[in-house]
Amino acid sequence: MEKLIITAALTGAEVTKELQPNLPVTPDEIAEAAYECYKAGASIVHVHARDDEGKPTQAYEVYKEIKEKIEERCDIIVQPSTGGAVWHSADERLQPVELAPEMATLSCGTCNFGSDVFMNSQEYIEKFAKRMKELGVKPEIEVFERGMINNALRLVKKGLIAPPLHFDFVLGVPGACPGTPEDLMHMIRSIPPGSTWTVAGIGKDELPLAVMAVILGGNVRVGFEDNIYYSKGVLADSNAQLVARIVRIAKEMGREVATPDEARKILGISKK
Ligand code: KMH
Ligand code: ZN
């Protein structure tokens, strides 16, 4: 098995400080949280930006500041979100890609998202994939429903993305695919051989799906974007605490944890 790639999804667009007082929202807080996660064993940081009022923003300048502040501290792979918040336009969502980061997310279909709709029309998906290709950004294909895998494979046929593909199965979003072990197995069996995958279980699904990924040779995403608790009813102290738990479990299972450079090699990313 390859070494385990751990992604820390620090902030997201939906969680607030009221829900999780330790949520990092300013560029300094986000950079510091990224560094703590790096020290704990994460090799990728999935970034969402917030404005001065703590509201989600896709502004280029804010992502630039966050990226620079993280890069001053460590060489973790910075993966901005192109999902943003459900109300962001496609053009807003694309802004962080202009920084030409090593990776960015590419959501490959539309789904319900709680009481909202997370809109990813074919037009959006192709536009995002095209710009990522032009700027040499490795897409992390976000899969919230099984059919999104086929949408990604259509992008391969159109020459907009190229294997080896890297998938993130986001399971347990209210309104989209649940996070049962059977759902994860079905996703894994549905991707092309030679692909890599990670799993982001939402809420109570985070830990069991992460453990499955450790066992099955996949990779793991944890963090406040997906889950704010350490255990039932107990808030986590930090994103790094959630990363550290996965590192401990992986070690117990005999699975080594990848450094950022090892993750780059596994994912086929050349360091920028
Ligand atoms: N906040 C969600 C609507 C991504 O980062 O690419 C979308 C999301 C996906 O978080
Ligand atoms: Zn995200």
Side-chain angles (χ1 to χ4, degrees):
M1 261 185 217
E2 293 279 15
K3 291 188 181 179
L4 176 72
I5 299 170
I6 302 175
T7 300
L10 304 176
T11 306
E14 292 79 26
V15 180
T16 59
K17 286 240 191 216
E18 285 69 45
L19 292 171
Q20 170 46 274
N22 298 323
L23 186 75
V25 293
T26 67
D28 284 309
E29 286 172 351
I30 291 171
E32 206 45 42
Y35 183 51
E36 283 172 17
C37 289
Y38 160 80
K39 286 191 290 182
S43 46
I44 302 177
V45 67
H46 172 66
V47 176
H48 283 254
R50 299 287 177 102
D51 65 16
D52 290 342
E53 291 171 3
K55 295 206 191 85
T57 176
Q58 288 294 102
Y60 174 90
E61 282 304 327
V62 186
Y63 274 94
K64 183 168 183 284
E65 186 180 350
I66 293 169
K67 184 168 175 286
E68 285 171 357
K69 286 192 158 150
I70 295 172
E71 287 169 353
E72 276 164 21
R73 288 166 169 82
C74 59
D75 72 340
I76 195 166
I77 298 167
V78 179
Q79 180 201 83
S81 168
T82 66
V86 287
W87 64 86
H88 285 132
S89 69
D91 287 338
E92 282 175 295
R93 286 168 54 182
L94 249 182
Q95 290 180 80
V97 173
E98 298 304 316
L99 290 164
E102 291 178 296
M103 289 185 97
T105 51
L106 176 63
S107 291
C108 276
T110 298
C111 60
N112 282 19
F113 199 87
S115 49
D116 295 304
V117 174
F118 182 34
M119 180 58 73
N120 293 288
S121 65
Q122 192 65 23
E123 186 195 339
Y124 280 27
I125 300 169
E126 291 187 11
K127 183 176 174 156
F128 288 20
K130 184 166 174 285
R131 194 65 185 136
M132 287 188 206
K133 186 182 173 194
E134 285 163 356
L135 293 171
V137 180
K138 169 105 182 177
E140 177 170 283
I141 300 161
E142 305 288 307
V143 173
F144 295 75
E145 290 283 7
R146 165 68 179 81
M148 296 187 192
I149 295 172
N150 293 65
N151 290 342
L153 299 183
R154 268 193 285 280
L155 297 179
V156 177
K157 277 201 181 137
K158 291 189 170 190
L160 293 170
I161 58 174
L165 305 179
H166 177 64
F167 292 89
D168 176 24
F169 306 126
V170 186
L171 302 180
V173 171
C177 184
T180 69
E182 290 78 11
D183 287 300
L184 177 59
M185 292 311 299
H186 187 47
M187 294 289 185
I188 298 165
R189 290 179 183 130
S190 303
I191 58 176
S195 306
T196 50
W197 61 271
T198 190
V199 65
I202 304 303
K204 65 173 177 33
D205 297 328
E206 181 173 89
L207 185 57
L209 294 179
V211 172
M212 279 183 73
V214 171
I215 296 166
L216 294 169
N219 302 288
V220 171
R221 180 173 113 171
V222 291
F224 290 167
E225 173 166 349
D226 303 332
N227 165 45
I228 57 176
Y229 293 101
Y230 189 79
S231 56
K232 192 171 179 188
V234 180
L235 287 172
D237 293 336
S238 64
N239 281 289
Q241 186 190 28
L242 297 171
V243 171
R245 171 164 60 183
I246 301 302
V247 171
R248 283 198 304 277
I249 291 168
K251 284 196 175 144
E252 286 290 326
M253 302 296 297
R255 182 112 188 256
E256 288 183 75
V257 174
T259 63
D261 276 345
E262 288 166 343
R264 286 181 178 94
K265 202 159 164 237
I266 294 166
L267 297 170
I269 300 174
S270 39
K271 200 170 185 170
K272 284 189 179 171

